Amino acid sequence: FGLKVMAGKPQAGFPCKEADSWAQKFQAHGYAVIRLDQGEAQGNVKTRHVGEYWSAGTVVDPLFLPASGSNYLMCIALCP
């Protein structure tokens, strides 16, 4: 993917408009993808929180599901 190493860890940054495209590429290779959103700055520290998380078991967005083959969704509810 051409990742650069920053502070000893591979990292990737790209424009927001390309986030879905890059997330699909990483997901297709078996990686989990986390989108961090920047919150309000507190002094010199910028807070971040998880905006979205994609992994093989959490994808429900049709954009990320393979077009060929079957895709299943199951829900189990325990009733008292």
Side-chain angles (χ1 to χ4, degrees), residues 52-78:
E52 287 187 84
Y53 176 81
W54 299 281
S55 70
T58 63
V59 174
V60 292
D61 185 340
L63 181 66
F64 290 89
L65 294 171
S68 63
S70 300
N71 297 302
Y72 300 96
L73 177 64
M74 180 173 78
C75 177
I76 299 174
L78 300 176

Side-chain angles (χ1 to χ4, degrees), residues 4-20:
K4 295 184 179 182
V5 176
M6 302 172 86
K9 297 178 184 177
Q11 299 181 14
F14 34 82
C16 287
K17 66 182 180 179
E18 296 177 15
D20 288 343

Side-chain angles (χ1 to χ4, degrees), residues 38-48:
Q38 186 169 311
E40 295 183 25
Q42 298 175 356
N44 291 334
V45 178
K46 294 179 183 176
T47 61
R48 289 179 172 76

Side-chain angles (χ1 to χ4, degrees), residues 6-42:
M6 302 172 86
K9 297 178 184 177
Q11 299 181 14
F14 34 82
C16 287
K17 66 182 180 179
E18 296 177 15
D20 288 343
S21 173
W22 277 101
Q24 284 178 308
K25 291 175 186 177
F26 281 101
Q27 177 107 42
H29 283 84
Y31 291 97
V33 179
I34 300 171
R35 189 194 81 224
L36 297 176
D37 293 330
Q38 186 169 311
E40 295 183 25
Q42 298 175 356

